Amino acid sequence: MFEGSYVALVTPFTNGEVDFGKLKELVEFQVKNGTNGIIPCGTTGESATLNYDEHEKVIEAVVNSAAGRVKVIAGTGSNSTAETIEMTAFAKKVGADGVLLVSPYYNKPTQKGLYLHFKKVADEIDIPIVLYNIQSRTAVNIEPETIAKLHTDCKNILGIKEASGSLEQMTKIKMLCPKMDVVSGDDALTLPLMSIGGVGVISVVANIVPKDVSEMVWAYLKGDAEKAKTLHYKLFNLIKAMFIETNPIPVKTAMGLMGLCSNELRLPMCAMDDKNKEKLVKEMKIYGLL
């Protein structure tokens, strides 16, 4: 269900407010460049600094702008199960195609707690769910056995965004859950993951080069591994530049340089260090973006 190239969309700000006009433009940019789905209100979308009302309005705006042309998988995860259920219910009500649920952060649940959290959401709201495993941000890894139990016990838990950085873990997930859609949460590992059964990516770099990311994913899925490999190598240094500092600082800086949207961030995210910005600009020039 979640095959292809999905973008973890930034949230554009102007003078401290969400710029909904620019948000619509960004959706159009993605649709026109071959992106298969859009993720509003993920990590890249600075969901942690959106208030509740903004979070809902961004999801609804993206659903309306996409207008059924591409899938919208709304980021509705939280470290509160009750809040996750409430936001997931809203996403379903406004027409999202699915939701992305990050594992609860800071409160550091056990594997049993993770299972109960995700199962409660899945039982309460009948909408396709993609789990989001990113221990570097949440402190806890969703173990493959926990993922397998959730996939078995919950008919609507259909995919996982894997950002553990471990191909060994991703392999084990595919062995335990051969029918589960495993997508990359790390642009640099998209092609390696697809080689072991992954079906695509939820991408940061696709905010600025959606066409190339989509072409790489679909080249591989359609059997052209050589083309996919060529695009992987082309993208690699630009991808690494997206993570010189904490995401989404570099990608928003790049988007500002390209005129796609303002580079404005919300504290505690802040402007890039000048030396790091020089490195980013260098890679963007090499790629032909500037």
Side-chain angles (χ1 to χ4, degrees), residues 55-119:
H55 199 132
E56 289 188 340
K57 286 180 178 177
V58 168
I59 291 171
E60 187 169 16
V62 171
V63 170
N64 290 339
S65 296
R69 294 173 294 167
V70 297
K71 290 179 180 176
V72 176
I73 311 300
T76 60
S78 166
N79 59 354
S80 160
T81 305
E83 184 177 313
T84 301
I85 290 169
E86 188 174 346
M87 190 62 72
T88 301
F90 176 83
K92 180 180 180 180
K93 182 179 76 172
V94 298
D97 298 285
V99 292
L100 179 71
L101 301 186
V102 69
S103 53
Y105 42 87
Y106 186 76
N107 39 24
K108 205 172 181 181
T110 62
Q111 293 301 305
K112 180 180 178 181
L114 288 171
Y115 171 82
L116 293 171
H117 167 79
F118 289 122
K119 187 174 188 302

Side-chain angles (χ1 to χ4, degrees), residues 29-70:
F29 176 65
Q30 293 296 325
V31 172
K32 289 176 181 177
N33 282 281
T35 295
N36 303 110
I38 296 174
I39 317 292
C41 301
T43 307
T44 309
E46 295 176 81
S47 58
T49 55
L50 296 177
N51 65 40
Y52 205 82
D53 183 57
E54 288 173 329
H55 199 132
E56 289 188 340
K57 286 180 178 177
V58 168
I59 291 171
E60 187 169 16
V62 171
V63 170
N64 290 339
S65 296
R69 294 173 294 167
V70 297

Side-chain angles (χ1 to χ4, degrees), residues 27 29 37 49 95 114 123 139 152 159 196 214 217 258 268 281 283:
V27 171
F29 176 65
T49 55
L114 288 171
D123 288 347
T152 298
I196 59 170
S214 180
V217 169
M258 293 171 67
V281 168
E283 292 302 333

Side-chain angles (χ1 to χ4, degrees), residues 260-271:
L260 291 171
C261 70
S262 166
N263 63 0
E264 187 175 329
L265 297 141
R266 277 189 175 169
L267 287 170
M269 295 291 101
C270 63

